Structure formats: structure tokens, C-alpha cells
Amino acid sequence: MNNSTDGIKSVLIVEDEQSIRDILVELFDVEGNVVSSAELLPEALERLRTQRFDLVVTDLRLGGKRDGGLQVMALAGMLSPDAMVLVLTAYPDDSNRQASFRLGALHFLEKPVDLATIAQYATTVGVRSAFAPAARE
């Protein structure tokens, strides 16, 4: 379900490492998208409570909390059930992977992540990126 009838897509970036967060925001900061970002879990949960998202990109560990990203995924699953959830992690162990998929993550990506890969996944749910900006007809 789209947030509005004008095709605007909403993207949430949850990443505690500012350089990565900035790059991801820049990736999706194109015409047709509204991008929100959060550094830590409380901020991410507040964003999820106040807005529905089409795409959620979250780090697995947030501010040293091993399960921060899992909490983001759980709330996204309840409040933005149609959102595509992408998980980024530098700790791709099997239990994290399985927990992420159980909570609705569609893709579990190991850092460093290729931005083109993230952009490609996003296009499958109609979210444009700097790699695939709006097509003019």
C-alpha cells in the first residue's frame, strides 16, 4: 500500500555509523522519495510509530545493542507491514540471519554492502535511488 496517491515512497534508514547513514540517505534522496533516518533504536522506533514506510534499511547492531536491528524489524513488521526490510550487518552469523528472516527481513546483507545491490532491491518495491532515478515518460 502506498503512503499516498501521488507515488511518493517513504524510506527509513537506521544506522548508527554516521558515514554509512549519510551515504544511504544520499542514495535514496531523489525525486519521489521521502527519506528519514535514525541513529539509534529509540529514534528509529519513534519514526516507525509516526509514519508508514515502503522501505526500511537497518543495521543489525545499533549503538552496541546486539538486537537493536531486530527490534526495528519487529516494529516495522507491525506498523509498516508492506515495507521491504533490508538488514545490513558486519556480523552475519546464522542466528542473526535466521532471526532477521523470521522478523520479515527480505534481504540480509553483509557489510561492506554494494550500494547498487541495495538500489536494485529497492526498485523491486518501486523505490527509486540515485542508481535508478525517476524515469520520465
Side-chain angles (χ1 to χ4, degrees), residues 5-132:
T5 55
D6 57 7
I8 299 292
K9 297 290 187 173
S10 58
V11 179
L12 176 62
I13 306 296
V14 184
E15 170 60 67
D16 57 357
E17 199 172 314
Q18 183 169 353
S19 60
I20 296 173
R21 188 172 64 248
D22 290 348
I23 288 168
L24 290 169
V25 166
E26 193 173 313
L27 176 66
F28 291 109
D29 190 14
V30 298
E31 185 181 339
N33 292 345
V34 175
V35 183
S36 300
S37 67
E39 179 180 0
L40 297 173
L41 186 60
E43 193 180 357
L45 298 181
E46 182 60 29
R47 296 256 192 293
L48 285 163
R49 284 187 193 100
T50 57
Q51 185 179 349
R52 289 188 70 137
F53 292 94
D54 298 295
L55 175 66
V56 176
V57 181
T58 184
D59 189 7
L60 192 59
R61 291 188 184 204
L62 296 170
K65 287 184 65 90
R66 288 182 56 107
D67 65 345
L70 297 177
Q71 291 181 49
V72 169
M73 285 178 258
L75 196 59
M78 289 186 288
L79 299 179
S80 288
D82 299 327
M84 171 184 274
V85 178
L86 302 178
V87 178
L88 310 180
T89 185
Y91 307 95
D93 64 69
D94 238 25
S95 63
N96 283 337
R97 183 182 306 271
Q98 290 170 3
S100 296
F101 289 138
R102 273 197 308 275
L103 288 169
L106 290 181
H107 301 284
F108 189 86
L109 306 169
E110 186 173 350
K111 290 180 179 177
V113 180
D114 179 28
L115 291 178
T117 300
I118 294 173
Q120 185 178 0
Y121 288 140
T123 59
T124 66
V125 290
V127 175
R128 299 175 184 125
S129 71
F131 284 96

